[in-house]
Amino acid sequence: MSPATTSTRLVAPGATKVQMAATVDPWRLFADAPGDRAVLWREPGTATVTVGIGAAAEITSHSPAVRFAEVAAGLSSTTGADSGSDRWFGGFSFDCGETPDDLWADHPCGALTLPVFTFDIDPTATTTCIVRGGDADAAHHLVAAIDPPMARRGTGAARAVEEDREAYTNLVTTALGEISAHRLEKVVLARRRTHHGPVDVAEVLAGLAARQPSCAIFAFRRGPRVFLGASPELLLAHDGAGHVTSAAVAGSRSRGRDDADDTLMAAELAADPKEVAEHAYVVDDLRRQLAAAGVRLDPPAVAEIRRLPGIQHLYTPVSGSLDPDSRHVIEILGALHPSPAVCGTPTAAARRFIRDHEGLDRGWYAGPVGWIDGRGAASFHVGLRSGVIDPGVGVTHLFAGAGIVAGSQPGSELTETDVKLDALGTALGS
């Protein structure tokens, strides 16, 4: 393990479970949490929201090439009789690029945090909190200290700036030249939109959760900044008993004006050779990488249409069972990242093009984010439809990308990224 990796158990064995009868606002609890470490997670299609506060232990890696192996080794060193209830939350960078941006200074190549307080908040049931290394009474104090739901701090109509639309279409044109020369088959190109204005993180999260019920809602505060979003794309889930699931989400169309128009656009998406080819790249890569990692694959599934607010995608689940001698779940996660859905094909050539031409430090955008527990159960999604909020200075940076293949049109790809950016921009009030 590299000296840059740390894995420190800071708490005594065992944990305290606290039950709370009071209704808890998870979005406000996260936004008002003290300190420089807080996490929030909501699985797609569920009501329960998990909020973690503080760091009882943390595993980090600053080594781009071996970040998944280092974090996996760190997790393995923490396992023990008391670790079954541990849930570690965090993420990994897209690439630890060669053009680092201070925006991501507190988000290393890989980081997982075991919170001191882990709240599971179900609006229809009693809230529970697992406390590690802290005073159980402090959990009640944290809930009592949050502002009431009506205390709004203002997510005003933010003004978009630093958005060079022409630069993005020029970048797509350059990529199409590489594709025409057969040096690339596909490359995913991202852009950034910056907003200035006051932002209430709690309101942003509540808005995302309400508008995106089928997405994973996530937020990670590290230092002064919060990385948050609503991801439609599962990268890897493990049930703790040997069954793994992933999903290909690639190929897009806008939503229609009404049900009939929506159905027509979905049919066009399913029949579009460019979109079908883009989706097939992702499915094939997922199946190949999972098989190489020792997963016994289930029979191939049929592509479906997955509808989200403002956009719809081709979607194909990929699943299988782990062999007993398979690698650590985090290492399998590393084998799947980056998928063609966020990078391109061939992977090495696409990654090199992104490094050389995109001019953007993606940080945790488009990287895996999620959680893993002491039994190996895990859920990691791709950090898409996301942004970084710095509440102290009132600046928000939003990220979105589009897959470029033969037949792509620069203007259409720009519009696709607009749709994705607007999904989060709406939650900002802009």
Side-chain angles (χ1 to χ4, degrees):
M1 188 182 302
S2 163
T5 298
T6 62
S7 174
T8 307
R9 295 286 287 185
L10 302 178
V11 297
T16 302
K17 185 175 182 179
V18 179
Q19 290 191 325
M20 302 177 175
T23 300
V24 179
D25 181 340
W27 325 112
R28 190 62 64 190
L29 178 61
F30 171 85
D32 289 355
D36 63 358
R37 292 289 187 274
V39 302
L40 180 142
W41 186 268
R42 190 200 70 183
E43 287 288 333
T46 66
T48 299
V49 181
T50 299
V51 176
I53 299 174
E58 191 160 82
I59 300 166
T60 60
S61 173
H62 299 274
S63 304
V66 293
R67 61 194 186 278
F68 293 97
E70 287 191 332
V71 170
L75 281 172
S76 296
S77 73
T78 67
T79 57
D82 68 309
S83 64
S85 62
D86 289 355
R87 274 185 293 169
W88 300 77
F89 298 84
F92 298 83
S93 63
F94 173 78
D95 197 23
C96 280
E98 297 175 359
T99 56
D101 189 326
D102 286 344
L103 179 66
W104 300 103
D106 296 308
H107 292 73
C109 293
L112 292 179
T113 300
L114 175 66
V116 174
F117 304 95
T118 304
F119 295 84
D120 284 321
I121 303 167
D122 184 337
T124 65
T126 301
T127 293
T128 61
C129 179
I130 300 296
V131 182
R132 284 192 172 277
D135 182 353
D137 289 339
H140 292 282
H141 296 324
L142 285 169
V143 171
I146 67 174
D147 288 339
M150 295 306 293
R152 300 298 183 231
R153 300 176 189 171
T155 296
R159 179 171 52 88
V161 297
E162 299 174 32
E163 182 181 22
D164 193 337
R165 300 171 67 81
E166 184 179 359
Y168 187 77
T169 56
N170 290 342
L171 180 62
V172 173
T173 299
T174 301
L176 288 170
E178 294 295 292
I179 292 169
S180 296
H182 306 291
R183 288 186 285 268
L184 284 173
E185 295 178 49
K186 172 187 174 181
V187 63
V188 180
L189 300 177
R191 53 184 281 236
R192 180 166 77 179
R193 177 192 292 172
T194 300
H195 295 249
H196 287 259
V199 175
D200 185 332
V201 171
E203 288 189 36
V204 172
L205 288 168
L208 283 176
R211 295 183 183 91
Q212 308 284 349
S214 62
C215 289
I217 306 300
F218 61 87
F220 300 91
R221 184 204 298 157
R222 298 184 61 84
R225 302 182 183 96
V226 176
F227 175 58
L228 55 73
S231 174
E233 185 170 340
L234 172 69
L235 186 58
L236 184 68
H238 181 227
D239 65 0
H243 192 259
V244 297
T245 307
S246 186
V249 182
S252 307
R253 274 290 192 284
S254 298
R255 298 295 301 273
R257 296 182 300 272
D258 50 37
D259 288 345
D261 191 35
D262 211 27
T263 300
L264 177 61
M265 296 184 77
E268 290 177 352
L269 171 60
D272 187 319
K274 176 257 182 186
E275 303 288 0
V276 170
E278 180 182 346
H279 186 75
Y281 291 147
V282 181
V283 175
D284 292 346
D285 185 77
L286 280 176
R287 293 186 66 84
R288 182 173 61 255
Q289 297 292 358
L290 284 172
V295 176
R296 298 188 302 277
L297 294 171
D298 295 333
V302 177
E304 310 165 10
I305 298 292
R306 184 174 184 190
R307 290 185 169 94
L308 300 170
I311 198 166
Q312 49 193 326
H313 300 284
L314 289 172
Y315 169 89
T316 300
V318 179
S319 60
S321 300
L322 288 176
D323 287 333
D325 59 349
S326 294
R327 289 179 284 172
H328 194 284
V329 171
I330 295 296
E331 292 184 278
I332 296 174
L333 183 72
L336 296 181
H337 175 79
S339 78
V342 295
C343 183
T345 307
T347 301
R351 178 180 279 177
R352 186 165 53 249
F353 183 90
I354 291 168
R355 287 175 177 170
D356 292 344
H357 297 278
E358 193 176 74
L360 183 68
D361 181 0
R362 295 188 181 189
W364 283 19
Y365 164 71
V369 294
W371 59 268
I372 184 168
D373 70 16
R375 298 177 300 276
S379 178
F380 282 86
H381 284 64
V382 184
L384 302 174
R385 313 296 197 274
S386 57
V388 176
I389 297 177
D390 192 334
V393 297
V395 177
T396 302
H397 305 275
L398 308 183
F399 298 85
I404 313 304
V405 297
S408 291
Q409 299 296 320
S412 297
E413 304 304 331
L414 181 67
T415 299
E416 179 178 329
T417 58
D418 281 336
V419 170
K420 295 171 181 176
L421 288 166
D422 290 344
L424 191 52
T426 299
L428 289 173
S430 58

